[in-house]
Amino acid sequence: MEIKSNNILIGFSTLIVLILILCFSLWISRVQLDRQYAYYKIVFSGSVSGLSKSGPVQFNGLPVGRVIDLSLAEKDPGKVIAIIQVDARTPVKEDSIAQLEASGITGLAVVQLTSGSRGSKLLREVSNDTYPVIKGAPSTLQELAKAAPETLENANRLINDLGK
């Protein structure tokens, strides 16, 4: 009889320790089981180099979510569709804009959401789509690359005019 009670006590103690370790690891990783998410679609024109699945999404510089899917548009392969998951409390408005920004020196891209104007309504209230669409804007680097040839041409023209 005594041997069986020791085995039960050891097994019960081991089970308690394993449950405590699981609870501690959940607490350390700050898992929130009751967190609500909202999902949005962003359509980018052109390259989204540096952006990947599970890439960060920021709202006015604060981390609020992640990219859950990237794909090419079926009808226009020059456009990239990103599905993002953000905290449901994030006030994404109908005039909010999504833009890619470089993160540090690694070349990884971050989706940066702007807050929009004060008077505009929340995008979730306005749209009945499964994934409401946030307008995508070209990144600052894309705008610079697009404007560079014209700027060089103007500078070359100015130098030629000064030389005459």
Side-chain angles (χ1 to χ4, degrees), residues 120-132:
S120 63
K121 296 180 180 178
L122 293 175
L123 186 56
R124 278 250 172 242
E125 295 173 357
V126 176
S127 176
N128 293 327
D129 297 333
T130 305
Y131 299 121

Side-chain angles (χ1 to χ4, degrees), residues 3-24:
I3 295 173
K4 286 185 181 179
S5 65
N6 282 342
N7 290 341
I8 291 173
L9 184 62
I10 291 170
F12 185 70
S13 300
T14 305
L15 187 62
I16 295 285
V17 168
L18 288 175
I19 290 172
L20 287 174
I21 289 172
L22 177 67
C23 290
F24 179 73

Side-chain angles (χ1 to χ4, degrees), residues 92-136:
V92 178
K93 298 188 177 183
E94 59 186 341
D95 60 346
S96 291
I97 295 174
Q99 190 173 23
L100 291 179
E101 288 187 4
S103 174
I105 59 172
T106 60
L108 295 176
V110 174
V111 176
Q112 186 67 246
L113 301 175
T114 60
S115 60
S117 61
R118 287 184 183 217
S120 63
K121 296 180 180 178
L122 293 175
L123 186 56
R124 278 250 172 242
E125 295 173 357
V126 176
S127 176
N128 293 327
D129 297 333
T130 305
Y131 299 121
V133 179
I134 300 173
K135 296 172 189 159

Side-chain angles (χ1 to χ4, degrees), residues 2 36 42 60 73-74 95 104 130 149:
E2 212 172 297
Q36 300 273 329
I42 305 169
N60 288 345
E74 289 179 19
D95 60 346
T130 305

Side-chain angles (χ1 to χ4, degrees), residues 32-45:
Q32 294 181 351
L33 301 175
D34 61 342
R35 193 169 189 179
Q36 300 273 329
Y37 294 102
Y39 297 88
Y40 298 96
K41 180 192 301 187
I42 305 169
V43 180
F44 291 107
S45 295

